[in-house]
Amino acid sequence: MAIDADAQGAAIEAQFLAAMARGATVVETSAFRVHLWPSSDPFYRNVAVPIRRPADWRSAIDEMRAAFAAAGRSPRLEFLEPRWPDLAAALDDAGLSPEMPQTVMVCTRRPRAAPDPAIQILASTDGSPTVAAAYLRAVQEAFEQPFDAAVLAREAARLADDIRTGDCVVAAIADDTGGFVSGASLIGVCAPCDAVGTVAELAGVWTAAAWRGRGLASRAVSALVDRLLRAGDGLVWLSAENARTAALYARQGFAPIGRQHTYVGIVSHRSDEPSASAA
């Protein structure tokens, strides 16, 4: 049975909330659920998501900002425009800054592909902090956004745990030396909606600079989507940064359902974290 875009949006929102809550301190305000990570990095883990429509958006936004400020974090919000059509204007009026909107795309059905022998699936018991650290280091080098050693170790431990529990599935491609050169991940794998089935976000699609142009990332994406959808009902979603990226995913069976907005505010600093000028 076909699932309409509103039901898909609700399932994506539920999946995202569940994924962000894992490992975070969750603060419930009148309109938002604020997820606070133990540190300011990775920045994307400190995020608020709307959960109910308030009588007055401005006071609800001020309350949300106060929750971030109390933790010394920069306000950051993510939401689907079709689910909250009036929120962007309220955030603009409140002085928060929008980042470039992204296109949310979903895939629920696709022809089953033959197994790709080049794809290494990291799932269930395959995860280890050492493997996870090697994979994350390669990803960060590809994106030219390296973590410092402490953050890398923490993120690698989290990734290894997520792989072991099935919350994350990684499809990776290695070179002849065993070094990772491309890959993609399904993150926050869960089933928040009976009408949709298992839901996961496709994220971290990458290829090392020297290996680009060979279709490696597309093969990793295909392996992951086929793995999740082969059992029947399910939904894989992603956020496409631009029209070119959206066109690439459209060829993989993804269809747009609306825009995702991200808004950010002024950074606050906790008193127990050293400032940039500290010795």
Side-chain angles (χ1 to χ4, degrees):
M1 180 179 66
I3 305 299
D4 64 29
D6 187 61
Q8 291 174 345
I12 289 169
E13 192 172 81
Q15 180 271 344
F16 185 70
L17 283 166
M20 289 297 99
R22 189 172 182 273
T25 297
V26 177
V27 178
E28 198 97 354
T29 69
S30 59
F32 300 93
R33 188 166 294 162
V34 181
H35 306 85
L36 299 169
W37 197 240
S39 68
S40 56
D41 288 321
F43 69 91
Y44 50 79
R45 296 204 190 282
N46 295 283
V47 64
V49 182
I51 56 173
R52 63 181 66 90
R53 184 163 282 97
D56 174 51
W57 273 120
R58 184 55 183 266
S59 61
I61 291 168
D62 289 343
E63 185 184 2
M64 174 272 298
R65 281 173 136 167
F68 278 107
R73 299 285 180 268
S74 172
R76 180 180 179 84
L77 301 91
E78 295 185 23
F79 63 96
L80 298 178
E81 182 181 69
R83 300 279 296 166
W84 307 93
D86 55 343
L87 180 52
L91 292 167
D92 289 333
D93 290 343
L96 278 83
S97 301
E99 296 185 344
M100 184 66 68
Q102 298 185 330
T103 301
V104 175
M105 307 182 73
V106 302
C107 184
T108 58
R109 293 286 186 275
R110 59 180 292 152
R112 184 172 178 180
D116 188 335
I119 304 295
Q120 179 182 356
I121 299 293
L122 307 180
S124 301
T125 60
D126 297 329
S128 75
T130 301
V131 172
Y135 182 79
L136 282 182
R137 191 176 295 111
V139 174
Q140 295 304 308
E141 289 176 358
F143 285 126
E144 299 181 348
Q145 294 177 333
F147 289 140
D148 65 33
V151 174
L152 177 64
R154 186 169 62 243
E155 288 296 293
R158 177 188 171 92
L159 176 60
D161 186 52
D162 285 349
I163 289 172
R164 283 193 300 268
T165 60
D167 294 312
C168 178
V169 182
V170 175
I173 299 175
D175 61 16
D176 292 340
T177 70
F180 294 115
V181 297
S182 186
S185 302
L186 291 179
I187 62 175
V189 180
C190 62
C193 178
D194 292 339
V196 174
T198 303
V199 181
E201 180 184 0
L202 177 68
V205 180
W206 68 282
T207 300
W211 291 78
R212 291 170 187 163
R214 309 185 193 188
L216 299 184
S218 294
R219 289 161 61 187
V221 168
S222 292
L224 286 177
V225 176
D226 291 339
R227 181 184 178 90
L228 187 133
L229 298 182
R230 72 176 58 157
D233 291 338
L235 182 152
V236 179
W237 72 279
L238 59 86
S239 299
E241 295 181 357
N242 51 50
R244 177 181 174 275
T245 303
L248 290 173
Y249 285 116
R251 291 199 288 271
Q252 292 262 26
F254 286 83
I257 65 166
R259 295 198 301 178
Q260 179 181 17
H261 287 286
T262 300
Y263 275 75
V264 297
I266 298 172
V267 177
S268 299
H269 295 285
R270 291 179 58 173
S271 60
D272 60 346
E273 291 185 343
S275 67
S277 61

